[in-house]
Structure formats: C-alpha cells, structure tokens
Amino acid sequence: MSGADWVDVHHHAYHGRLADALAARGVTHMAPGVPVPRWDPADTFRVMAEHDLAAVVLSVLVPDAALLLPDAADLVRQTNDWTSELVRAHPDRLGLLATLPLPDLDAALAEVGRAFDVLGADGVVLPASLADGAVLGDPGLDPLLAELDRRAAVAFVHPNPGYRCSCTGAADFAAAVPPPLVDFVADTTRAVANLLFRGALRRFPRIRFVLAHGGGTIPFLVGRLELARTWVLPDQDGPVGAELGRLYYETAQSSTAAALACVDAVADPGHVLFGTDFPFMGAEVVGQTRREVAAHRPDIGSAGRALFPRLRAAAARG
C-alpha cells in the first residue's frame, strides 16, 4: 500500500498490568462474551508495520464493574500512567486518549487536568453511557464538558463495554446477540442524540467529538433526526445535519462502501478518520479495514494528522 501517513484513532491499550489489576478485582470481561484482552505494544508495532500505519492513538475503556469500586480513580490514574510511559518512549508514533474515572465527576475533572497538564494527553475517551445510568449529554455532566470545551479537547466517544440496550426486549438478547453487534452502536447513537437534543453540542462547540464505529447509526438517522427538529428543537436556527456534520466519524467496523457512503453524506470535509478497534479486531480485520477505506477514501490520512498535529512528524517521515 502507498501513503504511510495514516493515523489509527481507534486503537486500544489493554496493558498486561491492567488485565492483572482488573482480574485481582474480579473483573475479567468487558462485556458478555468479550474477555479483557492482554495487549502487548509489540503487537501494535507489528500491525503498524504490516499495514502501513504512521501512528496510532491509544485508548482504554475500563469496565463498569471496576469503575464502581472505591479505588477506581487510582486504577484509572495507573492506566493513564502506563499508556503515557509508552507515548513518551514513542512520541511520534503513539498518541494518548486519557481514561476518566466516571461516573465520579470530581475525580474525572481532576484526571482531565492531570492528563493534559502533566501527561501531555492528546485527548480523552468518553463512554457513551456511564455505570450509574447517565448518558453523555445529560446536564449532570456539563461541568466535565465545560472543562473539555475550555481546553478545545478531542473527546473520543466510545460505547460503554457493559452497555445493554433496554429497547431490545428479550432478557436473553445479549446472550444470543453479542453486545458489540447491536447494543454498542445503539449506545453511541443515544449519546449523540442526547448531546444534540439537550443542546450540549451548541453549548460546548470547541470539543472535537470523535464518534466510534462510524457514529453508530447516527449517519443513517440524520434525516429522521432532522424531521424531529421542529418539535424537539423549535428555536434552533440551522439544520440538525450541520450540527452532526462537524463531529468526527471513524471507520472501525464501518468501512464497507455502504457504511462509508452514509458517513460521507453527513460528515464535513476532513471529518472522517481511520480507525480499526485493535486488538478487539485482529490484524486480519485491520488489513481489511485499511483496504476498504483506501478504496473509497485514499486521502483519509490528512484528517487524522490535522486532528492530532503532534503525530504529523511520523506521517512526514513516512
């Protein structure tokens, strides 16, 4: 493949030390049927070389069961420290999206300050829904969004690994249909709709929201959401599509021609990013995603470099 300038913005860093720490707390799974992976940085560098990736941006979603424990803030700090150690060792090839100890709002605000001011984080990762039942965009989370807005932060919106959509009905739905297939995209969709209809996108316009998995079903639902504008947002001047267009959409598990067509129809120019969901998606899927995106969006590398300027050096050398 040509053009070694691509930045993978959806790349997870489940350190062996984190897996051990979670297991010590009785947490072994991200979601039903999805065990906590044991990630080795060497695997990432191997995938980067094999699939011509200039840089990756590392993130971690800590399972709800651990976030509800009394020492959740300590575990999150350790997790961010482990990732930042790697980033400092490879500053042109690795980025850091800091984990936050939500739903503890005070601890999350403290970690935002530490992540940006001490660790030099490139952004944060936000769960679409929280362990206490809150959804991103709920007014109770406004202090966090206000701080991220003040910093003009990149905020990667990722489904909560433990989320199970309440609208699916059957109690055994998650056992029959693994949560990542349907529930995860529903989680992201609900979060974005909540941010939109509660006015959070307008109140906090400086946050650069990046939506996992092509934005869930948001690109497909733009027309439906637009129809609701007159009775849900009667005072809004301008179309819903304009609000959703300035968000960023990444390609993990959303790289088929049909999925990319939906994303392209809503996203502003330069707002489609490359993502893979490694290591949950293995090297073979990374390659497939790379090929599918390259066939339709060969210029996608420039978008990642623009959003994460610290990683431009790696792309330039590539």
Side-chain angles (χ1 to χ4, degrees), residues 159-248:
N160 179 340
Y163 178 72
R164 301 189 192 186
C165 182
S166 60
C167 62
T168 55
D172 62 347
F173 181 86
V177 182
L181 300 183
V182 174
D183 291 351
F184 277 24
V185 292
D187 197 27
T188 300
T189 300
R190 286 158 60 109
V192 177
N194 205 42
L195 287 164
L196 173 69
F197 288 119
R198 289 187 186 270
L201 295 181
R202 291 211 159 190
R203 293 198 307 278
F204 309 112
R206 285 162 51 83
I207 301 176
R208 275 86 54 81
F209 287 106
V210 178
L211 308 182
H213 311 122
T217 63
I218 285 294
F220 178 78
L221 293 176
V222 169
R224 187 178 181 90
L225 297 173
E226 186 66 59
L227 289 173
R229 180 181 65 86
T230 55
W231 53 273
V232 179
L233 298 171
D235 299 324
Q236 177 175 308
D237 54 343
V240 163
E243 290 293 296
L244 299 177
R246 64 183 178 83
L247 307 179
Y248 292 81

Side-chain angles (χ1 to χ4, degrees), residues 66-67 69-79 101 104 107-108 111 114:
L67 288 172
L69 295 174
D71 65 346
D74 293 335
L75 178 61
V76 166
R77 281 193 295 269
Q78 281 186 317
T79 300
D104 186 333
E111 190 62 13
R114 196 181 77 93

Side-chain angles (χ1 to χ4, degrees), residues 105-148:
L105 184 60
D106 289 339
L109 285 167
E111 190 62 13
V112 166
R114 196 181 77 93
F116 285 108
D117 300 336
V118 178
L119 302 182
D122 300 287
V124 300
V125 58
L126 297 176
S129 61
L130 278 57
D132 64 355
V135 177
L136 194 61
D138 285 357
L141 295 172
D142 276 5
L144 174 60
L145 296 185
E147 177 60 13
L148 295 176

